[in-house]
Structure formats: structure tokens, C-alpha cells
Amino acid sequence: MTGTVPAGELPEPDGQSLAVLPDATVVVGRTGARLTTVGLHGEARDIPAFGAVPGRDGWENPANPTPDTRTMAVGPKRWWVNVHVGGVWWSEDAGEMWRGAVEPEADVHEVRVGASGMVAVAAAVGFGWSEDDGESWSWTTDGLHGRYLRAVALDGDTAFVSASDGPFTKSGAVYRARLGSGFVRCEAGLPYRFEGNVDSGHLDAAGGRVALGFGDHVYVSEDKGQTWRVAAVLPEPVTAVRLTLA
């Protein structure tokens, strides 16, 4: 018998993103760029330090009245938070202190972490990555038909991104690249173009496999993004895609 068990309860139903810290604490990113942790026994605790980071009063969101906690990621050392539109921030002491990694002007839509200090972001200005836990960054749009990125995934030293010409595109596509090399479009088995953006949380990669969701379709590649097939057509639109290694 399978099912779900409530881990805790927020004071309002305003969760936007989730992450799990190394001690199994669940972090909920909430509207207004707020953070709340839920412990193993269901105790909910706000993270007040994130509400006091520098420049917060200047954050703006073109899509909503308040900033969104769009995505989060947890690496071996640091917990990463991507605010739309408020930049990317990290903490390595469970949220007591925060440091900025990417400025709000980049308009980051997703942050992901990999092994050995690797961090990557999909932003409105292109693809950014760091190999030293966010201390320094490189940026590129090489090989992309548009610089507006909504999703990113990492598999070793290979990055996958979704790219388009803007937020209201009718010409979305997915690309792959070795870090530091130009991007190559993923084509075989995928639509010639997606009638929108492959969104944040809808692209993942692990162990040579890649998966993406668009509309009610899930596409999978078993050869690092070279060829694709339709893995499932769901009764409802995809809300997130994540791979697990057996």
C-alpha cells in the first residue's frame, strides 16, 4: 500500500518550491520570497535572515505582485535559493547567513547543483555555471537560437537547457553541451519546436538519461540527449520531472 503522509503544515497554502537539506529538513519556498523549514516532527520555522538580505526592497516580479521563490537546490555544502526576480543566494549554515551569487538583473529562472562544486543557472540572459560553488561564474549563449532560458539540468560535465526567444515564445527548444563548449540542439525524436518554454522543473538528467515534460507529454533520452522518445502521455499537464537512479 502506498500513499503520502503530511510532514507539516504551513500557515498559508502559498508554497512555490521545495528542497531537502542534508539533515532531512524540508524547505518550502513561499510567495513573497519567504522561506520556511519543516522538521522531522512537523515543526514549521520561518527563516528570518532571508527576509533581511541586502537589496530585497528592490526586487520586482513581472508576473506577480511579489517576488517568487522560484527554485531551490541543495549541494554538499550550500543551500541555493533562486528568487524571481531577486537573484540567486546561498547559505551554508541552514539559513542563518546568506550571500548573493547572481545579481537580480540576470533574471534567473532555475538553479541546479552538480558534483564537486558545480552550480548552473538558466536565466533570461543565457546559461551561467560555476565550478567553485558559486565563487566565480562563466556565461554563454553559444549555439542557442535564443538566449532566454527557463530550465537547466546537469549530468556530470554535461548541461541541458531549454531555450527560446522570450517568455511568450512559440519556438522553444532543448539543447545539450559539455561545459565550456557550444550548445547543440536536441532534435531526434523531439518536436521541431515546442509551442512554449520547457519550464523550470521540467528538465532533468542523471546517469546518461535525460527527461523533459511539456504539456501532457514526457520525453526521455537514454543516450545523453542524442535521441528521444515519448515515454508517456499523461491525463493532465506535467508539473515537474525528476529522474532517480536505481
Side-chain angles (χ1 to χ4, degrees):
M1 180 175 165
T2 61
T4 59
V5 177
E9 186 174 349
L10 298 177
E12 301 173 39
D14 57 1
Q16 295 181 310
S17 54
L18 286 173
V20 181
L21 300 182
D23 64 358
T25 296
V26 176
V27 184
V28 183
R30 302 170 64 190
T31 58
R34 296 170 295 153
L35 300 174
T36 298
T37 61
V38 180
L40 291 175
H41 302 291
E43 63 279 13
R45 182 176 71 89
D46 291 338
I47 305 294
F50 195 68
V53 297
R56 184 184 176 96
D57 289 344
W59 295 352
E60 295 182 352
N61 185 349
N64 288 308
T66 60
D68 293 329
T69 316
R70 188 174 178 95
T71 64
M72 295 188 289
V74 178
K77 292 173 53 180
R78 293 176 175 175
W79 161 23
W80 298 82
V81 177
N82 154 218
V83 176
H84 188 247
V85 176
V88 176
W89 299 78
W90 60 260
S91 172
E92 51 188 16
D93 57 8
E96 295 299 321
M97 295 183 64
W98 293 90
R99 297 289 184 271
V102 180
E103 293 295 325
E105 290 74 19
D107 192 1
V108 172
H109 297 125
E110 186 166 23
V111 60
R112 301 292 298 271
V113 296
S116 304
M118 191 72 65
V119 189
V121 296
V125 297
F127 172 68
W129 79 99
S130 171
E131 299 180 61
D132 55 9
D133 262 326
E135 297 298 326
S136 61
W137 291 82
S138 301
W139 292 84
T140 187
T141 57
D142 188 21
L144 303 174
H145 78 287
R147 71 176 191 171
Y148 183 88
L149 307 188
R150 285 281 276 272
V152 59
L154 292 171
D155 187 11
D157 63 354
T158 301
F160 299 86
V161 300
S162 69
S164 76
D165 53 8
F168 308 109
T169 190
K170 296 294 183 181
S171 184
V174 172
Y175 292 80
R176 67 185 187 276
R178 295 282 294 272
L179 292 173
S181 301
F183 280 96
V184 176
R185 187 165 179 164
C186 298
E187 296 180 299
L190 292 179
Y192 173 70
R193 64 180 181 183
F194 292 98
E195 295 291 319
N197 286 294
V198 176
D199 211 354
S200 311
H202 289 61
L203 178 64
D204 201 19
R209 302 176 68 214
V210 196
L212 71 87
F214 185 82
D216 58 1
H217 281 54
V218 178
Y219 300 85
V220 171
S221 170
E222 308 282 354
D223 55 8
K224 300 182 178 181
Q226 296 184 67
T227 61
W228 297 74
R229 61 180 175 84
V230 176
V233 179
L234 305 178
E236 301 289 340
V238 175
T239 57
V241 173
R242 287 296 180 261
L243 291 168
T244 59
L245 294 176

